[in-house]
Amino acid sequence: MFLNTQTDFANALPVEMAALMRPADTKLSGFVTGTKVETAFGWRAVETLTRGDAVHTLDGGLRVAQQVNRRTLSVDRALHVPGGVLGNCADMVLMPGQSVLIETDLAEGAFGAPMVLVPAAALAGFRGISWVSLAHRNTKALEVIELGFAEEEVVFAESGVLLGCYGAEADTGKRSYYKHLTLDQGQALIGLLIHGSPFDLAA
């Protein structure tokens, strides 16, 4: 019932109450303009890609982008990822619903797969990843790029981050090679990682 010592809360992380009061919109996905992805011609900003460009993927090698969709979204907040946290070479911004691949034995034990895709919103609070308000912008409009392939793929971004991309075929989701976690499942998994369980991010 009582704490054993006065320092039992020493490793507790601050909680952003404002973020907890607003549900994360996991439908907001895509790569924020400026995000660099690895292509057949080196690292390129995602907004410079066009349909037919070849992009390096985790399991399939070079794959041709069959769709490059540009959307302008009205966004209040996004996830700021400090450089190095997910293997990224520089600070980056992720949309709340953008899927991120994580590899950990904990996922295999809980979900039957060592590599899982979690919505970026689930990463808030992990290794300095935090919500950033976009209220300071002159407009809340944010351009994002969605890459589509013949099948679901995971691509390399900002050197080491692995981000999920949808398959162009309508039924690809039914044949997903990766386990997709819900926001609640992702937050539960990240909570275990935050509290000191060993893990490796796929690279």
Side-chain angles (χ1 to χ4, degrees), residues 140-164:
K140 294 181 181 179
L142 190 66
E143 184 180 13
V144 300
I145 313 297
E146 290 183 320
L147 302 179
F149 298 88
E151 297 179 330
E152 180 183 45
E153 300 288 356
V154 171
V155 305
F156 295 88
E158 297 295 347
S159 297
V161 185
L162 291 168
L163 302 179

Side-chain angles (χ1 to χ4, degrees), residues 28-193:
L28 297 177
S29 63
F31 297 4
V32 177
T33 54
T35 302
K36 292 183 175 61
V37 297
E38 188 177 14
T39 74
F41 301 101
W43 292 92
R44 292 173 53 188
V46 67
E47 66 270 21
T48 68
L49 300 185
T50 59
R51 183 177 179 180
D53 285 340
V55 179
H56 281 282
T57 66
L58 177 62
D59 293 324
L62 283 171
R63 287 289 184 264
V64 172
Q66 296 193 355
Q67 297 181 21
V68 180
N69 298 324
R70 290 168 168 78
R71 295 194 298 161
T72 299
L73 302 176
S74 178
V75 181
D76 291 317
R77 59 185 182 141
L79 278 299
H80 174 256
V81 183
V85 170
L86 298 178
N88 46 312
C89 59
D91 288 10
M92 65 185 300
V93 175
L94 291 174
M95 299 299 292
Q98 174 58 51
S99 56
V100 181
L101 189 74
I102 290 181
E103 181 177 4
T104 169
D105 290 340
L106 290 174
E108 186 168 24
F111 304 106
M115 293 187 293
V116 293
L117 286 167
V118 304
L123 299 172
F126 176 65
R127 288 187 170 180
I129 298 175
S130 61
W131 289 104
V132 57
S133 172
L134 302 180
H136 66 283
R137 297 164 58 97
N138 294 329
T139 175
K140 294 181 181 179
L142 190 66
E143 184 180 13
V144 300
I145 313 297
E146 290 183 320
L147 302 179
F149 298 88
E151 297 179 330
E152 180 183 45
E153 300 288 356
V154 171
V155 305
F156 295 88
E158 297 295 347
S159 297
V161 185
L162 291 168
L163 302 179
C165 296
Y166 65 88
E169 298 179 9
D171 64 339
T172 297
K174 299 178 182 178
R175 299 183 286 106
S176 175
Y177 295 106
Y178 301 97
K179 174 70 176 180
H180 290 255
L181 302 191
T182 65
L183 177 60
D184 288 343
Q185 290 172 329
Q187 287 174 328
L189 178 62
I190 296 304
L192 292 175
L193 299 180

Side-chain angles (χ1 to χ4, degrees), residues 14-26:
V15 176
E16 185 183 346
M17 295 305 296
L20 291 177
M21 297 299 290
R22 302 190 303 272
D25 192 342
T26 55

